Amino acid sequence: MWKRALLVYGFACGSGPGFPIDAAIDAPPPGGTFSVDWAVTDTTGTAISCAQIGGVSMTVDLHNRAEEGGIDEVFACSSLTGSSDPILPGTYDIDFQLVGQNSTDLADGMSQMGVEITSGGNTRLTSLAFAVQDTGTLAMSINSLRSGGNCGSGATGGNIDAMTIELDDGSGTCVPATFDIEPEGSSYTVDCTTPAVTTCIEHDQTLTTSNVLSGPYQIHISGDEGSGLDCWANNDSFIVPPLGSAVTEDLNLAFGSATPGCL
């Protein structure tokens, strides 16, 4: 009995082989970081702003060849530069994506493979250039909400006999544009110097203009009744998307009930 107790005591306190108490655990090496710059251009290589195309972020997808899965680093699109948080040192394959509103993939950057991220160091990646198609299409209809239509006469109609249209960009500058009017097959050209007057456009007609620079816009529509009375108006704002996409706007005219003579 004593011998057995002595052996147990010797195992617990002796200096021979065994598992030392409070053995130090190896700490992981300090992480490393990366830095990257990028430019945003149209398809001709001309610099454009992230705001014009609705650019939200530049996402970096990293895959460490020694690990399963991957990690993301996200930078604001408009910053055009970014430095990562510390990540595990290793060899990485890296992809890049310019992301717009509603998580739209605006453009992909060229992948960079076999990038070494060193412990305690910063690796500068090759600069990126994202080329984005920065035009879209605007389609719209105009509605007085009168049961007799925009052009109908009397109490049920809008009594409109003439219209003018102006399209302003985000800075308030008039933008020349030609709208195709369907199904009639006619057109309306925005003249920023002398606004063109056209006959009444009905609520079931669609006005479309393409190759419009993407970004925020405001439309100004005036509907006149006889003798030039400015009785109807619309001043809605909207955004024309990039990538050749279209936005469709149903524009309701507001009636100028305080204007003498308007019906």
Side-chain angles (χ1 to χ4, degrees):
M1 226 11 224
W2 177 87
K3 183 177 180 181
R4 184 177 178 184
L6 180 62
L7 288 173
V8 172
Y9 178 84
F11 178 78
C13 299
S15 59
F19 299 98
I21 299 174
D22 295 330
I25 299 174
D26 291 338
T33 60
F34 69 84
S35 299
V36 62
D37 300 325
W38 62 92
V40 182
T41 73
D42 62 17
T43 53
T44 69
T46 301
I48 58 177
S49 70
C50 290
Q52 180 183 327
I53 55 172
V56 175
S57 63
M58 199 282 282
T59 299
V60 184
D61 299 319
L62 304 104
H63 171 65
N64 187 334
R65 292 181 177 180
E67 301 286 332
E68 293 292 332
I71 58 174
D72 291 339
E73 289 281 341
V74 180
F75 307 106
C77 175
S78 58
S79 67
L80 303 181
T81 188
S83 295
S84 74
D85 293 328
I87 61 176
L88 185 70
T91 302
Y92 285 83
D93 297 329
I94 308 178
D95 296 313
F96 308 90
Q97 184 182 57
L98 196 69
V99 180
Q101 295 177 347
N102 301 316
S103 300
T104 302
D105 183 0
L106 296 175
D108 295 325
M110 184 173 293
S111 299
Q112 298 183 30
M113 314 298 285
V115 176
E116 294 294 332
I117 303 296
T118 59
S119 177
N122 181 73
T123 300
R124 179 158 289 279
L125 305 183
T126 302
S127 296
L128 305 166
F130 294 97
V132 182
Q133 181 185 352
D134 63 338
T135 59
T137 295
L138 167 62
M140 64 185 189
S141 61
I142 303 170
N143 199 339
S144 66
L145 300 179
R146 292 278 180 90
S147 61
N150 300 340
C151 311
S153 60
T156 62
N159 299 286
I160 299 172
D161 58 15
M163 285 184 170
T164 59
I165 302 172
E166 180 179 316
L167 183 65
D168 292 351
D169 63 18
S171 67
T173 301
C174 180
V175 177
T178 297
F179 289 91
D180 296 322
I181 305 175
E182 299 295 344
E184 282 67 19
S186 56
S187 64
Y188 180 90
T189 299
V190 174
D191 186 330
C192 295
T193 303
T194 305
V197 179
T198 187
T199 55
C200 178
I201 299 171
E202 195 50 89
H203 69 281
D204 57 358
Q205 294 177 273
T206 301
L207 293 81
T208 305
T209 183
S210 56
N211 295 318
V212 180
L213 284 178
S214 56
Y217 287 88
Q218 185 176 35
I219 197 83
H220 301 285
I221 302 172
S222 175
D224 296 345
E225 295 184 8
S227 303
L229 289 174
D230 187 5
C231 296
W232 297 90
N234 179 280
N235 296 287
D236 282 0
S237 297
F238 46 81
I239 294 175
V240 174
L243 307 180
S245 300
V247 60
T248 300
E249 295 290 327
D250 298 317
L251 306 176
N252 295 330
L253 294 170
F255 179 61
S257 57
T259 303
C262 290
L263 301 177

